[in-house]
Amino acid sequence: MQDLQKKYLNTFAVSAAGGGASEAFLSMFLLYFYNQILGLDPFLCGLGIALSLFVDAFTDPMIGGISDRSSTRYGRRIPYMAFGLFGFALGIFLLFNVRFGATQFALFTQLLLFVIIMRISSTMFFIPRSSLGVEMIKGYEQRNLLHARDNNFGILGTVIFYSSIAVIFGNNWNQEDGYKTVSLVVISLFLTTSLYTVFRLRNIESQFEKTTARDETRQTGVIKGLSSLWKNDSWRNLIIGTSLFGIVGSLSSVFSIYMINFFWLWLPNEFTLILALSVPGAMVAGLSANKLLKNKDKKRTVLVLTCILITVGPSLTILRIIDIKFGTNILPEVGLGIYSLLFTLVALHSAFMAGTRIINGIVFSSMFSDVVEDHQKNTYSRSEGLIISVNGLSGKILGGVGILLSGALLSLVGFGEEGSLENKREAVTSLAIFSTALLFVIAPISLFFISKYKINKSIHEGNLKDLGYETGRVEV
């Protein structure tokens, strides 16, 4: 295990820097850019992104299942990663740098076409990449280290992205050329880190340990694999629970830039400084996650951390809503910049939330990874690609519903490009009330399903033993 970590773990994880930057860029700015900068109706923005997610959700299992059954001189994953990384970079470039025209039809058409190109290419890179990591490191607690290291590099990429928007946007979110420049920064970072990972790991799969049990992976098609996966109680309950949270998560991602601009009244340089101050919390959490999680049951940890996130996360938003609606002054005044008491309060809140969210995300990823061997023991099929892709299927479908709902809500409350500043602030307050209420409706249902997850350390290590794996060993 030590040889494996020393030789390959950082090489694998470095590509998360480009992935983290691109994910932050797209989730934060894609809908805002097409709505507020290019002038596409918010409902059409949500519809275009939602349709692409629905397409992506059904291509994911196909690509994941095909990569599981592939056999090339470079293994099952690397060829797909090499092809997908260029398509993903091209898709981001087209979305922010090419214009079909200024009409609603032209803008909607280009959004839908380019985002589908970007998402399918994303699937071809990120699903085989995640599968590669899960197959490389199999130990119950070592998987926490795998996902922690991935998160640390992802944070680094996000920091680079947020630093670029602070420099490029200054005090104005509505610069079309600024989005083009930031897109090039994100693309450059993604290509550099991803090409490095692909090139350095091009021969690694030949060194992975093989199961001593019978292997029917090549004979297991996508439909059969999906059917058998649904019978796995741990996976089924975990995917239902996390997918429901996906609706709230997609709303939060889409609304984030609107909330920053019109609810909290942060300028770009002020907001990026808040993020910069939250980075130490995220980094400390990521670096210490493996020690903090040692000998901890993953399900119990996730339930506790998720309850903390649900309780603490929306607290400042709720207080701000109360101030707006009832004319109170519970929170300090907004719009006073970086030397205000509110800035300090929000920075501390962001740092705490970032650290908690990082550890929670690491454990969730690790729980999904442990399903691989549980599924393999029952089906004799090692199907990381199919399992990881299906993990995203329901999340993307429900996330698409969330984004479509976001666009519909923005349109319903009259959040057009030409609305007055006061009307936009009022509209965003209504959206904040809706998304916060939705969180408290969905959270108890999600937690119920997550609590039904069954795999613990004893079960996982028993699965590894039955399959003939020596935890984390690799032939070097």
Side-chain angles (χ1 to χ4, degrees), residues 336-351:
L336 297 183
I338 62 175
Y339 299 108
S340 65
L341 180 59
L342 181 65
F343 179 88
T344 303
L345 185 62
V346 172
L348 290 172
H349 178 270
S350 298

Side-chain angles (χ1 to χ4, degrees), residues 99-379:
R99 292 281 292 273
F100 282 177
T103 67
Q104 294 290 293
F105 177 77
L107 290 171
F108 176 76
T109 301
Q110 77 170 54
L111 172 64
L112 181 60
L113 175 62
F114 295 159
V115 83
I116 287 176
I117 292 172
M118 181 271 295
R119 291 202 180 280
I120 292 177
S121 300
S122 168
T123 297
M124 294 191 70
F125 177 80
F126 287 105
I127 287 178
R129 177 189 177 277
S130 297
S131 303
L132 189 69
V134 171
E135 188 172 8
M136 182 169 69
I137 297 179
K138 300 181 178 70
Y140 184 79
E141 292 184 349
Q142 286 80 5
R143 288 248 170 95
N144 290 333
L145 177 62
L146 167 70
H147 295 294
R149 193 65 55 84
D150 221 31
N151 267 277
N152 289 337
F153 278 100
I155 293 168
L156 175 62
T158 305
V159 169
I160 294 171
F161 159 66
Y162 285 130
S163 301
S164 71
I165 66 175
V167 173
I168 293 167
F169 285 112
N171 294 325
N172 183 7
W173 289 109
N174 296 328
Q175 306 173 47
E176 182 174 349
D177 287 343
Y179 290 94
K180 293 180 179 180
T181 304
V182 174
S183 73
L184 296 178
V185 172
V186 170
I187 290 167
S188 299
L189 180 62
F190 173 76
L191 285 175
T192 301
T193 57
S194 300
L195 283 169
Y196 174 80
T197 293
V198 168
F199 179 77
R200 289 293 305 274
L201 297 184
R202 66 192 185 278
N203 295 315
I204 190 176
E205 289 186 65
S206 63
Q207 303 176 55
F208 289 162
E209 58 179 329
K210 304 296 188 290
T211 179
T212 57
R214 75 174 189 264
D215 187 356
E216 297 182 1
T217 305
R218 300 286 298 277
Q219 291 76 45
T220 304
V222 173
I223 302 300
K224 181 180 178 182
L226 289 172
S227 176
S228 61
L229 184 58
W230 183 255
K231 297 174 184 177
N232 186 292
D233 290 339
S234 290
W235 178 86
R236 185 177 63 252
N237 286 298
L238 192 59
I239 198 66
I240 293 173
T242 54
S243 296
L244 289 172
F245 274 125
I247 299 176
V248 181
S250 62
L251 283 172
S252 299
S253 295
V254 170
F255 290 159
S256 63
I257 183 62
Y258 294 89
M259 293 283 288
I260 292 161
N261 200 2
F262 300 108
F263 187 78
W264 293 108
L265 309 185
W266 298 119
L267 297 174
N269 53 355
E270 295 167 350
F271 172 66
T272 51
L273 183 56
I274 289 173
L275 292 171
L277 293 174
S278 72
V279 166
M283 289 298 295
V284 168
L287 292 170
S288 60
N290 198 47
K291 290 184 178 179
L292 291 173
L293 297 171
K294 189 174 180 62
N295 297 322
K296 298 290 193 305
D297 181 77
K298 295 178 183 179
K299 181 181 74 174
R300 190 176 298 112
T301 301
V302 154
L303 291 174
V304 171
L305 292 177
T306 303
C307 287
I308 292 173
L309 290 171
I310 293 167
T311 305
V312 179
S315 58
L316 294 184
T317 299
I318 292 171
L319 293 177
R320 171 82 174 129
I321 290 171
I322 293 172
D323 282 348
I324 292 171
K325 290 298 182 180
F326 298 99
T328 57
N329 295 295
I330 301 172
L331 287 179
E333 186 178 350
V334 301
L336 297 183
I338 62 175
Y339 299 108
S340 65
L341 180 59
L342 181 65
F343 179 88
T344 303
L345 185 62
V346 172
L348 290 172
H349 178 270
S350 298
F352 174 79
M353 290 298 296
T356 308
R357 194 177 292 114
I358 287 296
I359 295 179
N360 204 38
I362 288 168
V363 185
F364 262 125
S365 298
S366 192
M367 289 168 70
F368 273 119
S369 299
D370 292 343
V371 171
V372 170
E373 287 78 22
D374 198 57
H375 176 71
Q376 183 182 5
K377 179 182 174 181
N378 295 327
T379 64

Side-chain angles (χ1 to χ4, degrees), residues 69 244 453 468:
R69 301 194 304 276
L244 289 172
Y453 182 87

Side-chain angles (χ1 to χ4, degrees), residues 5 27-28 69 91 194 296 299 382 390 400 427:
Q5 291 177 11
S27 63
M28 185 174 180
R69 301 194 304 276
S194 300
K296 298 290 193 305
K299 181 181 74 174
R382 186 158 189 97
V390 179

